[in-house]
Coordinates of all heavy atoms in Angstrom, one line a residue:
T208 N 0.9 -1.2 0.0 CA 0.0 0.0 0.0 C 0.9 1.2 0.0 O 1.8 1.3 0.8 CB -0.9 0.0 1.2 OG1 -1.7 -1.1 1.2 CG2 -1.7 1.3 1.3
Y209 N 0.6 2.2 -0.9 CA 1.3 3.4 -1.0 C 0.3 4.5 -0.6 O -0.8 4.5 -1.0 CB 1.9 3.7 -2.3 CG 3.0 2.7 -2.7 CD1 2.7 1.6 -3.5 CD2 4.2 2.8 -2.3 CE1 3.6 0.7 -3.8 CE2 5.2 1.9 -2.6 CZ 4.9 0.8 -3.4 OH 5.9 -0.1 -3.7
I210 N 0.8 5.5 0.2 CA 0.0 6.6 0.5 C 0.3 7.7 -0.6 O 1.4 8.2 -0.7 CB 0.4 7.2 1.9 CG1 0.0 6.1 2.9 CG2 -0.4 8.5 2.2 CD1 0.6 6.3 4.3
E211 N -0.7 7.9 -1.4 CA -0.5 8.7 -2.6 C -0.5 10.2 -2.3 O 0.3 11.0 -2.8 CB -1.6 8.4 -3.6 CG -1.5 7.0 -4.2 CD -2.6 6.7 -5.2 OE1 -3.6 7.3 -5.2 OE2 -2.3 5.7 -6.0
T212 N -1.4 10.6 -1.3 CA -1.3 12.0 -0.9 C -1.6 12.1 0.6 O -2.3 11.3 1.1 CB -2.4 12.9 -1.6 OG1 -3.7 12.3 -1.3 CG2 -2.2 12.9 -3.1
L213 N -1.0 13.1 1.2 CA -1.2 13.4 2.6 C -1.1 14.9 2.7 O 0.0 15.5 2.5 CB -0.1 12.7 3.4 CG -0.1 13.0 4.9 CD1 -1.5 12.6 5.5 CD2 1.0 12.2 5.6
D214 N -2.2 15.5 3.0 CA -2.3 17.0 3.0 C -1.9 17.5 4.4 O -2.4 17.0 5.4 CB -3.7 17.5 2.7 CG -4.0 17.2 1.3 OD1 -3.1 17.0 0.4 OD2 -5.2 17.1 1.0
A215 N -1.0 18.5 4.4 CA -0.7 19.2 5.6 C -0.2 20.6 5.2 O 0.5 20.7 4.2 CB 0.4 18.5 6.4
A216 N -0.6 21.6 5.9 CA -0.2 22.9 5.5 C -0.2 23.8 6.8 O -0.5 23.3 7.9 CB -1.2 23.5 4.6
E217 N 0.2 25.0 6.7 CA 0.3 25.9 7.8 C -1.2 26.2 8.2 O -2.0 26.4 7.4 CB 1.0 27.2 7.4 CG 1.1 28.1 8.6 CD 2.0 29.3 8.2 OE1 2.6 29.4 7.1 OE2 2.0 30.2 9.1
A218 N -1.5 26.2 9.5 CA -2.8 26.5 10.0 C -2.7 27.8 10.9 O -1.7 27.9 11.6 CB -3.4 25.4 10.8
R219 N -3.7 28.6 10.8 CA -3.7 29.8 11.6 C -4.9 29.8 12.6 O -6.0 29.6 12.1 CB -3.7 31.0 10.8 CG -2.5 31.2 9.9 CD -2.3 32.6 9.5 NE -1.1 32.8 8.6 CZ 0.1 32.9 9.1 NH1 0.3 33.0 10.3 NH2 1.1 33.0 8.2
N220 N -4.6 30.0 13.8 CA -5.6 30.2 14.9 C -6.5 29.0 15.1 O -7.7 29.2 15.5 CB -6.5 31.5 14.5 CG -5.6 32.7 14.5 OD1 -4.7 32.9 15.2 ND2 -5.9 33.6 13.6
T221 N -6.1 27.8 14.8 CA -6.8 26.6 15.2 C -5.9 25.5 15.3 O -4.8 25.4 14.7 CB -7.9 26.3 14.1 OG1 -8.7 25.2 14.6 CG2 -7.2 26.0 12.8
T222 N -6.2 24.5 16.2 CA -5.5 23.3 16.4 C -6.2 22.1 15.9 O -5.7 21.0 15.9 CB -5.1 23.1 17.8 OG1 -6.2 23.1 18.6 CG2 -4.1 24.2 18.3
S223 N -7.5 22.3 15.5 CA -8.3 21.2 14.9 C -8.2 21.2 13.4 O -8.6 22.2 12.7 CB -9.8 21.5 15.3 OG -10.6 20.4 14.8
L224 N -7.5 20.2 12.9 CA -7.2 20.2 11.4 C -7.7 18.9 10.8 O -7.7 17.8 11.4 CB -5.6 20.2 11.3 CG -4.9 21.4 11.9 CD1 -3.4 21.2 11.8 CD2 -5.3 22.7 11.2
S225 N -8.0 19.0 9.5 CA -8.4 17.8 8.8 C -7.2 17.0 8.3 O -6.2 17.6 7.9 CB -9.2 18.2 7.5 OG -10.4 18.8 7.9
L226 N -7.2 15.7 8.5 CA -6.2 14.8 8.0 C -6.8 14.1 6.8 O -7.7 13.3 6.9 CB -5.8 13.8 9.1 CG -4.9 12.7 8.6 CD1 -3.6 13.2 8.1 CD2 -4.6 11.7 9.8
N227 N -6.3 14.5 5.6 CA -6.9 14.0 4.4 C -5.8 13.2 3.7 O -4.6 13.7 3.5 CB -7.4 15.1 3.5 CG -8.5 15.8 4.1 OD1 -9.5 15.3 4.6 ND2 -8.4 17.1 4.2
F228 N -6.1 12.0 3.2 CA -5.1 11.2 2.5 C -5.8 10.3 1.4 O -7.0 10.1 1.5 CB -4.3 10.3 3.5 CG -5.2 9.4 4.3 CD1 -5.5 8.1 3.9 CD2 -5.8 9.8 5.5 CE1 -6.3 7.3 4.6 CE2 -6.6 9.0 6.2 CZ -6.9 7.7 5.8
T229 N -5.0 9.8 0.5 CA -5.4 8.9 -0.5 C -4.5 7.7 -0.5 O -3.3 7.9 -0.5 CB -5.4 9.6 -1.9 OG1 -6.2 10.7 -1.8 CG2 -6.0 8.6 -3.0
L230 N -5.0 6.5 -0.6 CA -4.2 5.3 -0.6 C -4.2 4.7 -2.0 O -5.2 4.9 -2.8 CB -4.7 4.2 0.4 CG -4.8 4.7 1.8 CD1 -5.5 3.6 2.7 CD2 -3.5 5.1 2.3
S231 N -3.2 4.0 -2.4 CA -3.1 3.4 -3.7 C -4.0 2.1 -3.9 O -4.2 1.7 -5.0 CB -1.6 3.0 -4.0 OG -1.2 2.1 -3.1
E232 N -4.3 1.5 -2.7 CA -5.2 0.3 -2.7 C -5.9 0.2 -1.4 O -5.5 0.9 -0.4 CB -4.3 -0.9 -3.0 CG -3.3 -1.2 -1.9 CD -2.4 -2.3 -2.3 OE1 -2.9 -3.5 -2.2 OE2 -1.2 -2.1 -2.6
P233 N -6.9 -0.6 -1.2 CA -7.6 -0.8 0.0 C -6.6 -1.2 1.1 O -5.6 -1.9 0.9 CB -8.6 -1.8 -0.2 CG -8.9 -1.8 -1.7 CD -7.5 -1.4 -2.3
A234 N -6.8 -0.7 2.3 CA -6.0 -1.1 3.5 C -6.8 -1.8 4.5 O -8.0 -1.5 4.7 CB -5.4 0.2 4.1
E235 N -6.1 -2.8 5.2 CA -6.8 -3.5 6.3 C -6.7 -2.7 7.6 O -7.5 -2.8 8.4 CB -6.1 -4.8 6.5 CG -6.5 -5.9 5.5 CD -6.1 -7.3 6.0 OE1 -5.1 -7.4 6.8 OE2 -6.7 -8.2 5.5
L236 N -5.6 -1.9 7.7 CA -5.4 -1.1 8.9 C -4.7 0.2 8.5 O -3.8 0.3 7.7 CB -4.5 -1.9 9.9 CG -4.2 -1.3 11.2 CD1 -5.5 -1.1 12.0 CD2 -3.2 -2.1 12.0
I237 N -5.2 1.3 9.1 CA -4.6 2.7 8.9 C -4.5 3.3 10.3 O -5.4 3.2 11.1 CB -5.6 3.5 8.1 CG1 -5.9 2.9 6.7 CG2 -5.0 4.9 7.8 CD1 -7.1 3.6 6.0
W238 N -3.3 3.9 10.5 CA -3.1 4.5 11.8 C -2.1 5.7 11.6 O -1.4 5.8 10.6 CB -2.6 3.6 12.8 CG -1.2 3.0 12.7 CD1 -0.1 3.5 13.3 CD2 -0.8 1.9 11.8 NE1 1.0 2.7 12.9 CE2 0.6 1.8 12.0 CE3 -1.4 1.1 10.9 CZ2 1.3 0.8 11.4 CZ3 -0.7 0.1 10.3 CH2 0.7 0.0 10.5
Y239 N -2.1 6.6 12.6 CA -1.1 7.7 12.5 C -0.5 7.9 13.9 O -1.0 7.5 14.9 CB -1.8 9.0 12.0 CG -2.8 9.6 13.0 CD1 -2.4 10.5 14.0 CD2 -4.1 9.4 12.8 CE1 -3.3 11.1 14.8 CE2 -5.0 9.9 13.7 CZ -4.6 10.8 14.7 OH -5.5 11.4 15.6
V240 N 0.7 8.6 13.9 CA 1.4 9.0 15.1 C 1.6 10.5 14.9 O 2.2 11.0 14.0 CB 2.7 8.3 15.3 CG1 3.4 8.8 16.5 CG2 2.5 6.8 15.3
L241 N 1.1 11.3 15.9 CA 1.2 12.7 15.9 C 2.1 13.1 17.0 O 1.9 12.8 18.2 CB -0.2 13.3 16.1 CG -0.3 14.9 16.1 CD1 0.2 15.5 14.8 CD2 -1.7 15.3 16.4
R242 N 3.2 13.9 16.7 CA 4.2 14.4 17.6 C 4.8 13.3 18.5 O 5.1 13.5 19.6 CB 3.5 15.5 18.6 CG 3.0 16.7 17.9 CD 2.4 17.7 18.8 NE 1.5 17.2 19.8 CZ 0.2 16.9 19.7 NH1 -0.4 17.1 18.5 NH2 -0.5 16.4 20.7
G243 N 5.0 12.1 17.9 CA 5.7 11.1 18.6 C 4.8 10.4 19.7 O 5.4 9.6 20.5
Q244 N 3.6 10.8 19.8 CA 2.7 10.2 20.8 C 2.3 8.8 20.3 O 2.7 8.3 19.3 CB 1.4 11.1 21.0 CG 1.7 12.5 21.3 CD 2.3 12.7 22.7 OE1 1.9 12.1 23.6 NE2 3.3 13.6 22.8
G245 N 1.4 8.2 21.1 CA 1.0 6.8 20.7 C 0.2 6.8 19.4 O -0.3 7.8 18.9
S246 N 0.1 5.6 18.8 CA -0.6 5.5 17.5 C -2.1 5.5 17.7 O -2.7 5.1 18.7 CB -0.2 4.2 16.8 OG -0.6 3.1 17.6
V247 N -2.8 6.1 16.7 CA -4.2 6.2 16.7 C -4.8 5.5 15.4 O -4.4 5.9 14.3 CB -4.7 7.7 16.7 CG1 -6.2 7.9 16.6 CG2 -4.1 8.4 17.9
T248 N -5.6 4.5 15.6 CA -6.2 3.8 14.5 C -7.4 4.6 13.9 O -8.2 5.1 14.6 CB -6.7 2.4 14.9 OG1 -5.5 1.7 15.5 CG2 -7.2 1.6 13.8
I249 N -7.4 4.7 12.6 CA -8.5 5.4 11.9 C -9.0 4.5 10.7 O -8.3 3.5 10.3 CB -8.1 6.8 11.4 CG1 -6.9 6.7 10.4 CG2 -7.8 7.7 12.5 CD1 -6.5 8.0 9.8
T250 N -10.1 4.9 10.1 CA -10.6 4.1 9.0 C -10.8 5.0 7.7 O -11.0 4.4 6.6 CB -12.0 3.5 9.3 OG1 -12.9 4.5 9.7 CG2 -11.9 2.5 10.4
A251 N -10.7 6.3 7.9 CA -10.8 7.2 6.7 C -10.2 8.6 7.2 O -9.7 8.7 8.3 CB -12.3 7.3 6.4
N252 N -10.4 9.5 6.3 CA -10.0 10.9 6.6 C -10.6 11.3 8.0 O -11.7 10.8 8.3 CB -10.5 11.9 5.5 CG -9.7 11.7 4.2 OD1 -8.6 11.2 4.2 ND2 -10.4 12.1 3.1
T253 N -9.9 12.1 8.7 CA -10.4 12.4 10.1 C -9.9 13.8 10.5 O -9.3 14.5 9.7 CB -9.9 11.3 11.1 OG1 -10.5 11.5 12.3 CG2 -8.4 11.4 11.3
T254 N -10.2 14.2 11.7 CA -9.7 15.4 12.3 C -8.7 15.1 13.4 O -8.9 14.2 14.2 CB -10.9 16.2 12.8 OG1 -11.9 16.5 11.8 CG2 -10.5 17.6 13.4
I255 N -7.6 15.9 13.4 CA -6.6 15.7 14.4 C -6.5 17.0 15.2 O -6.9 18.0 14.8 CB -5.2 15.4 13.8 CG1 -4.8 16.5 12.9 CG2 -5.3 14.1 13.0 CD1 -3.3 16.4 12.4
T256 N -5.9 16.9 16.4 CA -5.7 18.0 17.2 C -4.2 18.3 17.4 O -3.5 17.5 18.0 CB -6.3 17.8 18.6 OG1 -7.7 17.6 18.5 CG2 -6.1 19.0 19.5
A257 N -3.8 19.3 16.7 CA -2.3 19.7 16.7 C -2.1 20.6 17.9 O -2.9 20.9 18.7 CB -2.0 20.3 15.4
V258 N -0.8 21.1 18.0 CA -0.4 22.1 19.0 C 0.1 23.3 18.3 O 0.5 23.3 17.2 CB 0.6 21.5 20.0 CG1 0.1 20.3 20.8 CG2 1.9 21.1 19.3
N259 N 0.1 24.4 19.0 CA 0.7 25.6 18.5 C 2.2 25.4 18.3 O 2.9 24.9 19.2 CB 0.5 26.8 19.5 CG 0.9 28.1 18.9 OD1 0.7 28.4 17.7 ND2 1.4 29.0 19.8
G260 N 2.7 25.7 17.1 CA 4.1 25.5 16.8 C 4.2 24.4 15.7 O 3.3 24.0 15.0
T261 N 5.4 23.8 15.7 CA 5.7 22.7 14.7 C 5.1 21.4 15.1 O 5.3 21.0 16.3 CB 7.2 22.6 14.5 OG1 7.7 23.9 14.0 CG2 7.5 21.6 13.4
N262 N 4.5 20.7 14.2 CA 3.9 19.4 14.5 C 4.5 18.4 13.5 O 4.7 18.8 12.3 CB 2.4 19.4 14.3 CG 1.7 20.2 15.4 OD1 1.2 19.6 16.4 ND2 1.6 21.5 15.3
S263 N 4.6 17.2 13.8 CA 5.0 16.1 12.9 C 3.9 15.0 12.9 O 3.4 14.7 14.0 CB 6.4 15.5 13.2 OG 6.3 15.0 14.5
L264 N 3.7 14.4 11.8 CA 2.7 13.4 11.7 C 3.2 12.3 10.7 O 3.7 12.6 9.7 CB 1.3 13.9 11.2 CG 0.2 12.9 11.1 CD1 -1.1 13.5 11.6 CD2 0.0 12.4 9.7
V265 N 3.0 11.1 11.1 CA 3.4 9.9 10.3 C 2.1 9.1 10.1 O 1.5 8.7 11.1 CB 4.5 9.1 10.8 CG1 4.9 7.9 9.9 CG2 5.7 9.9 11.2
L266 N 1.7 8.9 8.9 CA 0.5 8.1 8.6 C 1.0 6.7 8.0 O 1.8 6.7 7.1 CB -0.3 8.8 7.5 CG -1.6 8.1 7.1 CD1 -2.6 8.1 8.2 CD2 -2.2 8.7 5.9
F267 N 0.4 5.6 8.5 CA 0.7 4.3 8.1 C -0.5 3.6 7.5 O -1.6 3.8 8.0 CB 1.2 3.4 9.3 CG 2.4 4.0 10.0 CD1 2.3 4.9 11.0 CD2 3.7 3.5 9.6 CE1 3.4 5.4 11.7 CE2 4.8 4.0 10.3 CZ 4.7 4.9 11.3
A268 N -0.3 2.7 6.6 CA -1.4 1.9 6.0 C -0.8 0.5 5.7 O 0.2 0.3 5.2 CB -2.0 2.5 4.8
R269 N -1.6 -0.6 6.2 CA -1.2 -2.0 5.9 C -2.2 -2.6 5.0 O -3.4 -2.6 5.3 CB -1.1 -2.7 7.2 CG -0.5 -4.1 7.0 CD -0.4 -4.9 8.3 NE -1.7 -5.2 8.8 CZ -2.0 -5.4 10.1 NH1 -1.2 -5.2 11.0 NH2 -3.3 -5.7 10.4
D270 N -1.8 -3.3 3.9 CA -2.7 -4.0 3.0 C -2.9 -5.4 3.5 O -2.3 -5.9 4.4 CB -2.2 -3.8 1.6 CG -0.9 -4.5 1.3 OD1 -0.5 -5.4 2.1 OD2 -0.3 -4.2 0.3
A271 N -3.7 -6.1 2.7 CA -4.1 -7.5 3.0 C -2.9 -8.4 3.0 O -2.8 -9.5 3.7 CB -5.1 -8.0 2.1
A272 N -1.8 -8.1 2.2 CA -0.6 -8.9 2.2 C 0.3 -8.7 3.3 O 1.4 -9.3 3.4 CB 0.1 -8.7 0.8
G273 N 0.0 -7.7 4.1 CA 0.9 -7.3 5.2 C 1.9 -6.2 4.9 O 2.8 -5.9 5.8
N274 N 1.9 -5.7 3.7 CA 2.8 -4.6 3.3 C 2.4 -3.3 4.0 O 1.2 -3.0 4.0 CB 2.8 -4.4 1.8 CG 3.2 -5.7 1.1 OD1 4.3 -6.3 1.4 ND2 2.5 -6.1 0.1
V275 N 3.3 -2.6 4.6 CA 3.1 -1.3 5.2 C 3.7 -0.2 4.5 O 4.9 -0.2 4.2 CB 3.6 -1.3 6.7 CG1 3.4 0.0 7.4 CG2 2.9 -2.4 7.5
G276 N 2.9 0.8 4.1 CA 3.4 2.0 3.5 C 3.2 3.2 4.5 O 2.4 3.1 5.5
Y277 N 4.0 4.2 4.4 CA 3.9 5.3 5.3 C 4.3 6.6 4.6 O 5.0 6.6 3.6 CB 4.7 5.1 6.6 CG 6.2 5.1 6.4 CD1 6.9 6.3 6.6 CD2 6.8 4.0 6.1 CE1 8.3 6.3 6.4 CE2 8.2 4.0 5.9 CZ 8.9 5.1 6.0 OH 10.3 5.2 5.8
D278 N 3.9 7.7 5.2 CA 4.3 9.0 4.7 C 4.4 9.9 5.9 O 3.6 9.7 6.9 CB 3.3 9.6 3.7 CG 3.9 10.7 2.9 OD1 5.1 11.0 3.0 OD2 3.2 11.3 2.0
A279 N 5.3 10.9 5.9 CA 5.5 11.8 7.0 C 5.4 13.2 6.6 O 5.9 13.5 5.5 CB 6.8 11.5 7.7
V280 N 4.8 14.1 7.4 CA 4.8 15.5 7.1 C 5.1 16.3 8.4 O 4.9 15.8 9.5 CB 3.4 15.9 6.6 CG1 3.2 15.3 5.2 CG2 2.3 15.6 7.5
Q281 N 5.6 17.5 8.2 CA 5.7 18.4 9.3 C 4.8 19.6 8.9 O 4.8 20.0 7.7 CB 7.1 18.9 9.6 CG 7.9 17.8 10.3 CD 9.2 18.4 10.8 OE1 9.8 19.3 10.3 NE2 9.7 17.7 11.8
F282 N 4.2 20.3 9.9 CA 3.4 21.4 9.6 C 3.4 22.4 10.8 O 3.7 22.0 11.9 CB 1.9 21.0 9.2 CG 1.2 20.2 10.2 CD1 0.4 20.8 11.1 CD2 1.4 18.8 10.2 CE1 -0.3 20.1 12.1 CE2 0.7 18.1 11.2 CZ -0.1 18.7 12.1
L283 N 3.0 23.6 10.5 CA 3.1 24.6 11.5 C 1.7 25.1 11.9 O 0.9 25.4 11.0 CB 3.9 25.8 11.0 CG 4.0 27.0 11.9 CD1 4.8 26.7 13.1 CD2 4.6 28.2 11.1
V284 N 1.4 25.2 13.1 CA 0.2 25.9 13.6 C 0.6 27.2 14.2 O 1.5 27.2 15.1 CB -0.6 25.0 14.7 CG1 -1.8 25.7 15.3 CG2 -1.0 23.7 14.0
S285 N 0.0 28.3 13.8 CA 0.4 29.6 14.2 C -0.8 30.4 14.7 O -1.8 30.6 14.0 CB 1.0 30.3 13.1 OG 1.4 31.6 13.4
F286 N -0.7 30.9 16.0 CA -1.8 31.7 16.5 C -1.3 33.2 16.3 O -0.2 33.5 16.7 CB -2.0 31.4 18.0 CG -2.8 30.2 18.2 CD1 -2.2 28.9 18.3 CD2 -4.2 30.2 18.1 CE1 -2.9 27.8 18.5 CE2 -5.0 29.1 18.3 CZ -4.3 27.9 18.5
A287 N -2.2 34.0 15.8 CA -1.9 35.4 15.6 C -1.7 36.1 16.9 O -2.4 35.9 17.8 CB -3.0 36.1 14.8
Q288 N -0.7 37.0 16.9 CA -0.4 37.7 18.1 C -1.2 39.0 18.1 O -1.3 39.7 17.0 CB 1.1 38.1 18.1 CG 2.1 37.0 18.2 CD 2.2 36.4 19.6 OE1 1.9 37.0 20.5 NE2 2.6 35.1 19.7
L289 N -1.8 39.4 19.2 CA -2.5 40.6 19.3 C -1.5 41.8 19.4 O -0.5 41.7 20.1 CB -3.5 40.6 20.5 CG -4.6 39.6 20.4 CD1 -5.4 39.6 21.7 CD2 -5.5 39.9 19.2
P290 N -1.8 42.9 18.7 CA -0.9 44.0 18.8 C -0.8 44.6 20.2 O -1.6 44.5 21.0 CB -1.5 45.1 17.8 CG -2.8 44.6 17.4 CD -3.0 43.2 17.9

């Protein structure tokens, strides 16, 4: 299984972000690790809770043959400073 797309971008004034991805084939198991924390199992696109500052996310997918694909991204969450 190959992760064809994994969207991550700079976010402003929010820590609730959409995790959107596309897989090359059906997966038996999909999970992610955000900021080196424990793994979270998901079944489709979902919403994650990031932190202010730099975040890292690794998305994994395992197919029926047991092959595991993964992709990693880093993204920035930035809260606007009041003057």
Side-chain angles (χ1 to χ4, degrees):
T208 298
Y209 294 97
I210 298 168
E211 295 179 339
T212 61
L213 177 58
D214 295 335
E217 184 175 351
R219 295 200 182 275
N220 300 324
T221 185
T222 57
S223 181
L224 304 171
S225 295
L226 171 58
N227 299 310
F228 58 90
T229 305
L230 303 177
S231 62
E232 62 184 290
E235 283 194 337
L236 183 63
I237 305 167
W238 71 98
Y239 70 86
V240 176
L241 179 62
R242 298 182 315 277
Q244 305 292 318
S246 63
V247 177
T248 301
I249 58 176
T250 57
N252 294 334
T253 191
T254 302
I255 61 171
T256 302
V258 297
N259 189 35
T261 302
N262 291 263
S263 61
L264 183 137
V265 184
L266 179 71
F267 300 88
R269 185 180 72 210
D270 65 17
N274 301 310
V275 176
Y277 69 93
D278 198 2
V280 294
Q281 285 193 334
F282 57 95
L283 178 67
V284 173
S285 177
F286 284 90
Q288 298 282 339
L289 295 175

